[in-house]
Amino acid sequence: MKTKTNVVPGWLSPSAVMDMLYDVREPGCEELGYALLRPRAKQKANSVTALIRAKMAPVEPTSASPATGCGIPVTARQHRLMLARGVGDMGLASLLDEYDRVVRPHQRLLASVLTVRGSISTPIHDLFDMATSYAAIHLACGRSLTSMVVAHAPGDELSRALPHVHICMLARQHLPSGWAAEHPDLADTAHRMWAEEWSAFRNGWEQLAAA
């Protein structure tokens, strides 16, 4: 009898992750996806730990899958933790545990996700480099936000979907002194602002690359 490969417990499929998120869709902003993770959705409690772990493993991991140094399974093509400027080094698992542990009862937002869509002619490592640079400049430095940048390559699993990069932003500003208030730019009315900022950054990036 054929035996089943050991799987890692607690895995969430991409469709299950989408059920956790509120997908904002502002007309004319299709270049950049924007979604919100609230403490509760569809009568279920959410956590940033579940979101980040799911984005880092878009394909169901097994006991043989690679993992981070803190034991989080990884089946995404690339990933990088972008800590807010001035924050001391932290391991990913301890960071997520701490963030979820101090969620306040009146907190309205846990995280937001920007999805940078690639094209058939864009190498995924170029898209990932662009997204991590954007996160370093506009999030870590510009807004004191910590984020996780994850590159997905659906073609690895024979999918026709194009490569893309998720930038998962923790909603509370991350300061050297600890967690602060939710950032006001992470509102459900801010899709156009994020799309315009990303478009300007991407145009500047492409000009630098062509120089």
Side-chain angles (χ1 to χ4, degrees), residues 29-61:
C29 300
E30 292 78 11
E31 181 184 10
L32 183 79
Y34 180 53
L36 307 175
L37 179 72
R38 292 174 173 146
R40 297 194 66 84
K42 299 180 180 179
Q43 306 306 312
K44 294 181 180 179
N46 289 325
S47 72
V48 168
T49 297
L51 172 68
I52 300 297
R53 289 177 69 99
K55 291 299 186 185
M56 291 180 66
V59 177
E60 187 171 14

Side-chain angles (χ1 to χ4, degrees), residues 10 84 100 158:
D100 284 329
L158 307 183

Side-chain angles (χ1 to χ4, degrees), residues 12 17 20-21 37 47-58 68 72-74 76 79-81 92-93 95-96 99-100 110-113 146-150 152 166-170:
L12 292 175
V17 178
M20 296 168 57
L21 298 169
L37 179 72
S47 72
V48 168
T49 297
L51 172 68
I52 300 297
R53 289 177 69 99
K55 291 299 186 185
M56 291 180 66
T68 65
I72 296 177
V74 179
H79 68 278
R80 184 175 175 186
L81 176 62
L92 178 59
L95 169 72
L96 298 177
Y99 186 85
D100 284 329
L110 298 179
S112 293
V113 182
T146 285
S147 62
M148 170 60 78
V149 184
V150 185
H152 288 179
H166 296 293
I167 305 173
C168 304
M169 305 175 284
L170 304 190

